[in-house]
Amino acid sequence: MISTRQEAPGRWVAVGDDGVVAGELRVFVRPDGRRFALFGPSSDAVVGALLEAALAAVDGDLRVEAGADDAARLALLTGHGFAVDRREHVYAVPTRRLGVDVEPPDGFGLRSAADVDLERFRLLDEALRRDVPGVGEWRNEPAAFGRETFDDPQFDPATYLIAVDGSTGGYVGLVRVWVRTTGPRLGLIGVLPEYRGRGLARALVGAVLDVLHKRGEAEVVCEVDETNAASNALMAGFGARRIGGNIELSWRRRR
């Protein structure tokens, strides 16, 4: 028999008959206002019990992610009223480039995020995030943005780059790779709409791949929305291979 209890705002735990905690669920709100549930490692039975407790308590919609190949978890979620919102590919991208030209186009340069104006960097990040499939009106808190970026232990100034328009000094694109203990992850690649089609995204990705290759990293992992044709083509151009997929589902409270 599994029982659940709410231990703190946005946190539920499941407890077995022996009194031992069998799993937990945390609910958090992203900077775009969307609410997500995150599970710790646990069985589907435990996840189901935690979901029922959380869904009875949350005051709005809730989103979750599941592996595209996890049929049991997907069935559990849809059985609780979740519906598929979007799907994404998970790629492994080789850091060794084979004939891919990655020089920035004339008139543009690449700078480390550690060496740029923080406020302009924050606004660029905000604009690019809002253009990502599955993201709403993302808002970076000015007082927290620098701390959350530079104090993150996965931040690396050599793999977090900003594209700069040399004629105006404007920040027009960025790439970031988080350096994790499990291996590097490409977290975002984006270019402002009016600067696309010039090879800036390819130059940004190529620059960080070169850094990682010199460090002995063979691959970097990334996720790309299935509907994002340009980003899928960009990764394919660097020799990416699909190693999995994720599905985002949402539960909407009836109003």
Side-chain angles (χ1 to χ4, degrees):
M1 180 70 178
I2 298 170
S3 61
T4 61
R5 64 173 183 262
Q6 186 170 2
E7 292 214 325
R11 181 173 181 263
W12 288 262
V13 297
V15 181
D17 289 335
D18 55 3
V20 175
V21 172
E24 71 172 311
L25 179 153
R26 293 180 182 270
V27 172
F28 66 96
V29 179
R30 292 192 322 196
D32 62 353
R34 299 188 178 188
R35 183 185 287 107
F36 278 79
L38 185 65
F39 303 98
S42 50
S43 68
D44 285 336
V46 169
V47 169
L50 289 166
L51 267 179
E52 290 173 8
L55 293 177
V58 295
D59 58 0
D61 300 344
L62 188 64
R63 290 175 168 82
V64 296
E65 286 191 355
D69 298 327
D70 192 344
R73 181 60 55 87
L74 290 169
L76 173 68
L77 292 169
T78 55
H80 279 80
F82 283 83
V84 173
D85 269 357
R86 66 183 193 90
R87 302 171 185 268
E88 61 185 17
H89 301 300
V90 179
Y91 291 123
V93 185
T95 60
R96 183 183 179 189
R97 296 186 289 103
L98 298 175
V100 180
D101 181 14
V102 296
E103 288 300 315
D106 291 343
F108 294 88
L110 307 182
R111 296 171 60 185
S112 169
D115 300 325
V116 299
D117 178 79
L118 182 60
E119 177 62 9
R120 292 162 62 201
F121 168 27
R122 180 185 73 83
L123 293 174
L124 173 68
D125 178 89
E126 196 170 78
L128 293 176
R129 284 181 184 265
R130 292 178 181 182
D131 202 34
V132 174
V135 176
E137 287 296 306
W138 192 280
R139 298 184 185 279
N140 291 319
E141 289 295 330
F145 178 72
R147 180 179 68 255
E148 292 172 352
T149 299
F150 302 126
D151 291 352
D152 191 310
Q154 298 179 1
F155 171 77
D156 185 337
T159 61
Y160 203 140
L161 305 178
I162 309 294
V164 182
D165 183 342
S167 64
T168 65
Y171 299 168
V172 301
L174 70 78
V175 63
R176 65 166 161 264
V177 171
W178 297 118
V179 180
R180 310 173 302 173
T181 56
T182 55
R185 174 179 174 266
L186 174 59
L188 179 65
I189 170 65
V191 174
L192 294 176
E194 60 269 33
Y195 288 91
R196 292 173 188 166
R198 310 187 193 193
L200 279 168
R202 186 170 61 249
L204 285 161
V205 173
V208 295
L209 291 182
D210 283 350
V211 171
L212 295 169
H213 184 66
K214 290 174 182 177
R215 293 177 180 175
E217 298 285 357
E219 295 178 326
V220 58
V221 172
C222 69
E223 302 89 29
V224 180
D225 190 277
E226 286 188 356
T227 66
N228 192 333
S231 291
N232 280 291
L234 177 66
M235 294 301 109
F238 282 101
R241 74 181 196 283
R242 189 180 187 277
I243 58 173
N246 296 319
I247 297 179
E248 183 180 306
L249 306 94
S250 64
W251 177 87
R252 305 191 187 281
R253 180 173 292 283
R254 294 180 180 177
R255 293 173 172 82

